[in-house]
Amino acid sequence: MINAIWFGMIALSLVSALAQGRMPELSAAVLEGAADPVKLSISLLGSMCAWLGFLRIAEKSGLTGLLARAFSPVIDRLFPDYREDPEIKGKLCMNISANLLGLGNAATPLGLSAMEAMAQKHPGPVPSRG
């Protein structure tokens, strides 16, 4: 459905620009609009690499183990299936720590890593605890 909406908007823009003789303006707007996300991606790349590097250093130095022990009561209550798995608890802890520090961009890959590890331990759909 969303593809049809986007197609309709693009087609309407092209028809409108052709009817009004404003194709150069449309071309300029398309190129300018395509440049903005590239600039944003490049600006976020540096900070994301730095924070992920700091978090990797924390992981290698054992800081994640300390944080996992500190957050253990919370993680054990939220994720009871992973109480005995220090790797998953460490990944969850790093994700929680990054979120608490306001590092949303760095927290996303950490959360995905934790979810991958959790999915490997319990493949298939997780049963409802309803």
Side-chain angles (χ1 to χ4, degrees), residues 1-120:
M1 180 66 184
I2 194 76
N3 288 339
I5 293 171
W6 276 108
F7 177 77
M9 290 180 3
I10 292 170
L12 186 63
S13 298
L14 284 171
V15 169
S16 177
L18 280 172
Q20 296 178 2
R22 300 181 68 186
M23 282 302 287
E25 288 89 350
L26 178 64
S27 296
V30 167
L31 290 176
E32 184 180 324
D36 290 341
V38 172
K39 290 178 190 175
L40 177 65
S41 297
I42 290 172
S43 67
L44 289 177
L45 184 65
S47 64
M48 194 165 170
C49 287
W51 282 111
L52 286 175
F54 293 146
L55 292 172
R56 178 67 65 181
I57 290 169
E59 185 179 14
K60 296 288 184 184
S61 70
L63 182 61
T64 58
L66 291 171
L67 288 171
R69 282 196 297 272
F71 285 128
S72 190
V74 175
I75 292 174
D76 288 348
R77 186 169 291 277
L78 292 174
F79 304 100
D81 293 341
Y82 306 105
R83 287 181 189 198
E84 305 302 322
D85 194 331
E87 177 191 358
I88 292 175
K89 282 175 78 170
K91 290 181 180 201
L92 288 168
C93 174
M94 291 305 295
N95 178 260
I96 291 168
S97 300
N99 277 308
L100 289 175
L101 291 171
L103 306 173
N105 288 334
T108 300
L110 294 169
L112 292 173
S113 174
M115 286 189 292
E116 281 179 3
M118 290 163 63
Q120 287 175 356

